[in-house]
Amino acid sequence: MTHKELVLEVYKHKNVGYVPCIFTDMDIFKSAAINERPEQGGKDWFGVDWTFVPEVMSPMVTPGTKVITDVTKWKEQVKFPDLTQYDWEKFAAEETASWDRENKVSYMMLINGIFERTHALMGFEDALCAMYEEPEAYQELIDAITDYKVEVIKIIGKYYKPDVLACHDDFASEDRLFMSIDMWEEFFKEPTQRLIDAVHEQGIIYEQHCCGYVYPIFDQLVEMGIDAIEPLQVKNPLREMKDKYQDRVTFVGGYDVQNVYDRVGVTEEEMRAETKRVMDLMAPGGSFISFPLTITFDFVPVFIDEHMKYAFDYGDK
């Protein structure tokens, strides 16, 4: 078994006696050709204007700008990209040229999920209000976005061929969902199921990215067939979730990035202690991958050094 095959076994929810690290065992990638969010600012495919915010090392929708000003008129106000006009074979060849497909798992991110795309287009408050005030129009918009996402996934499967596709959609704040469970089921469960199915049809591992308190809908995501979940922020009952589902889902993350790795003034001792704490909590039983999803990356050398002290220690625990 090659090292890459060993890591892929962890994505099959196995305990292989090794805890993979996303910084050492994977090629992490987000396509610039799939213009969902220009990293340095500017307009995306949909006409949304983004501004780079240094404090979070990421672009945010430019305040005061909206593509959709009336959700009932979204068909007039939103122009979806024509995906057939792009040379995807050329883009994929250029963007995957540095991937080490023999030795590393290729890990691709598909950002701006269905819910995220709606509030990028119309603003966060308007997207939430639309669920109550104009549910039919909002659902039509969601369905159109889902159709588009499925086509993007087909392109990824045909041309990029990653091992793992991490589909992003943040449904929660730090300690609660942005909407009721009933609302999530009404608007987003079936569209998310379509994405899961589309990724699996391409022979790709489906990893659900959902920041915040994902616990209230986690049982449903498991039943829907997700292969992995991240970033597993610390407000969730992580060991409870893993004990229940580690034979069906691979757990990726689990670190207190806000209060440790991304905190100004954090010490090396604190970083090492957090790395060990999560290893002790999440590694027993296997089906776990180390991935602190952070804003800054200065911590990575210390993290890798500490991670490798324990990466081979949990095979029989």
Side-chain angles (χ1 to χ4, degrees):
M1 184 180 293
T2 67
H3 187 72
K4 176 179 177 178
E5 290 170 340
L6 194 72
V7 176
L8 289 175
E9 284 295 294
V10 179
Y11 267 112
K12 297 176 183 176
H13 328 309
K14 305 295 185 182
N15 185 357
V16 299
Y18 172 67
V19 178
C21 174
I22 199 163
F23 298 126
T24 58
D25 297 317
M26 303 183 194
D27 285 316
I28 315 169
F29 171 72
K30 183 184 76 66
S31 172
I34 301 173
N35 186 17
E36 285 270 14
R37 188 184 70 188
E39 290 302 312
Q40 299 306 312
K43 291 187 182 296
D44 66 18
W45 269 338
F46 295 83
V48 175
D49 193 73
W50 299 81
T51 298
F52 180 77
V53 181
E55 290 81 0
V56 295
M57 297 294 292
S58 182
M60 308 291 285
V61 176
T62 304
T65 64
K66 293 181 182 179
V67 172
I68 297 176
T69 57
D70 181 344
V71 71
T72 66
K73 298 179 180 178
W74 71 265
K75 292 179 182 178
E76 305 165 27
Q77 297 178 339
V78 178
K79 183 179 179 181
F80 280 77
D82 180 1
L83 299 173
T84 64
Q85 69 174 306
Y86 299 99
D87 188 346
W88 291 110
E89 185 173 5
K90 174 177 176 290
F91 286 153
E94 293 172 350
E95 292 192 311
T96 65
S98 63
W99 290 9
D100 183 358
R101 291 188 185 268
E102 181 179 353
N103 299 299
K104 290 187 175 183
V105 168
S106 52
Y107 181 101
M108 187 169 176
M109 299 178 181
L110 182 59
I111 62 170
N112 280 24
I114 301 164
F115 174 54
E116 292 172 336
R117 174 48 60 186
T118 68
H119 63 72
L121 286 166
M122 60 195 301
F124 202 88
E125 182 178 352
D126 285 359
L128 293 175
C129 288
M131 299 181 192
Y132 294 91
E133 296 175 348
E134 298 292 348
E136 292 184 7
Y138 188 63
Q139 186 66 67
E140 289 177 354
L141 174 62
I142 288 170
D143 291 343
I145 293 170
T146 306
D147 290 342
Y148 151 78
K149 286 286 185 182
V150 169
E151 292 306 309
V152 172
I153 289 168
K154 291 178 181 178
I155 288 168
I156 290 171
K158 182 176 182 179
Y159 296 103
Y160 289 85
K161 298 180 172 61
D163 297 304
V164 180
L165 185 60
C167 291
H168 287 216
D169 219 349
D170 292 339
F171 296 117
S173 66
E174 187 175 32
D175 61 354
R176 70 200 66 196
L177 294 177
F178 287 129
M179 64 206 75
S180 69
I181 295 174
D182 288 344
M183 283 291 191
W184 180 82
E185 290 173 348
E186 178 180 351
F187 290 104
F188 298 107
K189 183 174 182 177
E190 181 57 32
T192 301
Q193 183 70 70
R194 288 184 59 198
L195 300 191
I196 295 169
D197 294 343
V199 171
H200 287 161
E201 286 170 7
Q202 297 301 314
I204 300 171
I205 295 165
Y206 182 96
E207 182 165 301
Q208 181 68 59
H209 168 99
C210 186
C211 286
Y213 191 61
V214 69
Y215 180 66
I217 58 173
F218 185 62
D219 287 350
Q220 295 193 64
L221 290 170
V222 174
E223 294 303 321
M224 291 160 66
I226 66 169
D227 299 302
I229 181 74
E230 54 95 3
L232 293 172
Q233 290 168 322
V234 293
K235 290 287 186 178
N236 295 283
L238 300 182
R239 192 63 227 185
E240 174 188 328
M241 294 161 67
K242 190 167 187 288
D243 285 341
K244 187 175 181 179
Y245 288 121
Q246 68 184 10
D247 62 336
R248 298 175 63 183
V249 176
T250 297
F251 291 77
V252 184
Y255 297 87
D256 188 356
V257 296
Q258 290 176 297
N259 295 306
V260 184
Y261 303 118
D262 276 338
R263 197 189 83 235
V264 175
V266 63
T267 67
E268 179 176 325
E269 291 74 18
E270 290 172 316
M271 290 188 285
R272 290 185 183 277
E274 176 63 8
T275 305
K276 177 65 163 56
R277 181 193 70 82
V278 175
M279 210 50 122
D280 288 340
L281 176 70
M282 299 298 290
S287 193
F288 171 65
I289 294 173
S290 289
F291 182 15
L293 184 60
T294 55
I295 295 172
T296 60
F297 292 93
D298 294 341
F299 75 97
V300 172
V302 171
F303 174 82
I304 292 174
D305 180 66
E306 191 69 15
H307 167 88
M308 293 309 297
K309 292 179 181 179
Y310 312 105
F312 294 93
D313 286 353
Y314 287 90
D316 56 357
K317 292 185 180 179

